[in-house]
Amino acid sequence: MLKDVIISGVSLKVKHKVEAADRPTIVFLHDSLGCIDLWRDFPEKLGKETHCNILVYDRQGYGQSGPFTDLSRGNNYLEKEADVLHELIQQTGIRQAILFGHSDGASIALIAAAKYPAAIIGLITEGAHIFVEDITLKGIRDAVVAYRTTNLKEKLTRYHGVKMDAVFAAWADTWLSETFKSWNIEKFLPQIICPILVIQGEHDEFGSMKQVTGIINQVSGKSTQLIMSSVGHTPHKEAGDEVLYHVVVFVKSVYSIP
């Protein structure tokens, strides 16, 4: 099930489970510190409930994929990742993709749906960012302290190995830089024509409801929001059964599944 896919000379670790060639594939995009394994069994559960194929992958630098070739990131780094996603979809022969992105992965999914609509029939975002907020920066600063003073680094090293410090620095240093304060992807939103489900925890420590409103009000496709009480930045982990239920309903509304 695990395989390596080479894109622009970089080896990406991919988990691709195909149930039927005529079914859509739900593509999972992890967050800024995530990887295949940190999704746990959620992708498999969603694939089983929707009878869809699933594809989960580690972006460059993360998990079991090849290391970063350049530790510096420009304000367009998430757009570059959307281009990589497009190439991955093409190489794996996916004709109907439903993107499920969390945090950074959700921002990548938004950009990809805008730039490459032909193969993307649905979009699920969880804790997405479309611009930088003070709450986002505070959350990252708190994470920096935790990385230095708690066992957070030890926990994450189990998944990223010797790449761990690079993974964390690439995220924190970029988002906390002066130049990144102007980062904004709202220009892409009107180009999104597929249906979208926007999931947000009311207690998300990295983003406010302004992110949800901005997405819902600017996309061109049919949009639905799921605001979850008593939930933070990772709804699929904090309230997995509830998220699973609503995502299954959404997927079935996008694609007629017997």
Side-chain angles (χ1 to χ4, degrees):
M1 188 181 296
L2 281 172
K3 62 181 180 180
D4 294 306
V5 177
I6 308 299
I7 296 180
S8 300
V10 177
S11 176
L12 301 183
K13 187 65 68 175
V14 175
K15 179 191 284 187
H16 194 189
K17 186 176 182 180
V18 179
E19 295 292 344
D22 61 343
R23 302 284 190 182
T25 299
I26 304 175
V27 180
F28 293 83
L29 296 105
H30 63 74
D31 65 305
S32 54
L33 301 177
C35 63
I36 291 171
D37 289 341
L38 280 168
W39 281 103
R40 315 266 187 233
D41 61 351
F42 186 83
E44 285 77 10
K45 285 182 176 179
L46 185 54
K48 181 179 179 180
E49 290 294 324
T50 59
H51 307 290
C52 286
N53 310 312
I54 62 169
L55 185 145
V56 197
Y57 73 104
D58 293 334
R59 297 196 297 275
Q60 182 183 5
Y62 298 84
Q64 300 177 62
S65 287
F68 293 119
T69 48
D70 185 356
L71 291 180
S72 62
R73 282 177 168 175
N75 282 22
N76 64 340
Y77 86 94
L78 293 171
E79 184 175 355
K80 288 181 178 179
E81 291 292 351
D83 296 338
V84 172
L85 171 61
H86 172 63
E87 180 64 27
L88 178 60
I89 287 173
Q90 289 191 313
Q91 282 204 34
T92 50
I94 295 172
R95 295 185 184 139
Q96 298 181 95
I98 299 173
L99 306 182
F100 189 128
H102 174 224
S103 194
D104 263 21
S107 302
I108 294 166
L110 287 166
I111 299 170
K115 292 185 68 175
Y116 306 107
I120 299 172
I121 64 171
L123 176 59
I124 302 144
T125 67
E126 188 182 57
H129 296 99
I130 56 175
F131 48 75
V132 180
E133 294 184 276
D134 289 341
I135 187 176
T136 312
L137 302 181
K138 181 185 182 303
I140 295 172
R141 292 190 188 101
D142 290 344
V144 170
V145 173
Y147 190 75
R148 293 172 179 168
T149 62
T150 72
N151 65 345
L152 175 61
K153 177 179 177 178
E154 180 185 350
K155 287 181 177 179
L156 291 172
T157 298
R158 298 171 193 166
Y159 303 98
H160 303 293
V162 297
K163 302 191 292 288
M164 187 59 245
D165 283 338
V167 167
F168 194 87
W171 170 58
D173 292 353
T174 299
W175 278 78
L176 294 177
S177 68
E178 192 64 31
T179 56
F180 205 73
K181 288 181 179 179
S182 63
W183 175 81
N184 188 303
I185 61 169
E186 289 178 282
K187 67 180 181 180
F188 291 105
L189 300 181
Q191 301 171 51
I192 297 174
I193 58 175
C194 66
I196 177 172
L197 172 63
V198 182
I199 305 172
Q200 183 84 8
E202 282 190 347
H203 300 287
D204 191 326
E205 58 272 38
F206 293 99
S208 76
M209 293 302 140
K210 292 179 181 178
Q211 304 287 345
V212 176
T213 302
I215 296 170
I216 294 290
N217 289 344
Q218 295 182 76
V219 295
S220 297
K222 179 183 178 182
S223 60
T224 306
Q225 65 182 44
L226 173 62
I227 309 303
M228 307 191 69
S229 61
S230 304
V231 171
H233 191 56
T234 54
H236 72 275
K237 290 183 179 179
E238 299 170 60
D241 290 343
E242 186 178 354
V243 170
L244 184 66
Y245 171 80
H246 287 283
V247 173
V248 168
V249 171
F250 173 77
V251 170
K252 289 183 176 181
S253 75
V254 169
Y255 182 81
S256 178
I257 299 173

